[in-house]
Every structure is written in structure tokens, then in C-alpha cells.
Amino acid sequence: LIAGTQVGIEIDAAQHSNVTLVPEIAVVKDASNAFMFVVSGGQARKRPVITGLADAQRAEIASGLEAGELVITQRQSDLRDGTAITVSQ
């Protein structure tokens, strides 16, 4: 291309409706799996999840999480399944 040449482009973007979205930082990934920690009965519970579309701020959860569940977004590396926690908002 020569500088100043105009071009047209098309971008196909996927869009899903009625999905569960979480902050992207809530999703923890290891070599082959994705998981999250959810709040349940005063404990952090490790929950395997399947993710869908994601961007730098949000991630779609295709399965493994119900809408309305509280997810942990900080210090997940300090947690183990069943760790007692206190929720602050």
C-alpha cells in the first residue's frame, strides 16, 4: 500500500445474549483449566468454569457459575477450596 491509500475493512464480531459475565480478573487459568473462587457459606469455593468470549475487562462464563453468585476478584493465589473468608464490599 502507498501512504494515504484508503482501504475498506470488515470486522466480524461475535455477540452473545443472556450470558453470565464476570470481571476478567476473577477467572484463574492454569495450564489446561479455568476456574473461579465463589463465596459460599463464609468460605471460598473453587469452581471449574468454561469460558466463552472475553476482553480485557469481562469474561463470559459458559458453564460452572450461576447468575448472581459472588465471585472473588482479589488474592485468589492465597486461597484454597474451603478457605474461611470475610466478604467486604
Side-chain angles (χ1 to χ4, degrees):
L1 292 175
I2 300 171
T5 302
Q6 292 187 1
V7 298
I9 63 167
E10 283 187 39
I11 299 174
D12 290 328
Q15 183 176 9
H16 297 161
S17 58
N18 297 320
V19 297
T20 301
L21 293 176
V22 298
E24 193 278 331
I25 60 172
V27 180
V28 180
K29 295 180 181 178
D30 61 19
S32 60
N33 299 306
F35 61 91
M36 303 178 70
F37 283 98
V38 298
V39 177
S40 178
Q43 296 180 330
R45 291 294 184 186
K46 186 176 180 179
R47 181 86 55 83
V49 295
I50 296 175
T51 58
L53 298 174
D55 62 24
Q57 297 168 346
R58 293 178 305 255
E60 175 185 303
I61 304 300
S63 69
L65 182 71
E66 296 296 323
E69 287 187 289
L70 292 178
V71 297
I72 298 173
T73 60
Q74 297 178 350
R75 299 180 59 182
Q76 295 99 320
S77 62
D78 295 339
L79 297 175
R80 300 291 175 261
D81 188 45
T83 300
I85 58 169
T86 302
V87 176
S88 63
Q89 298 182 14

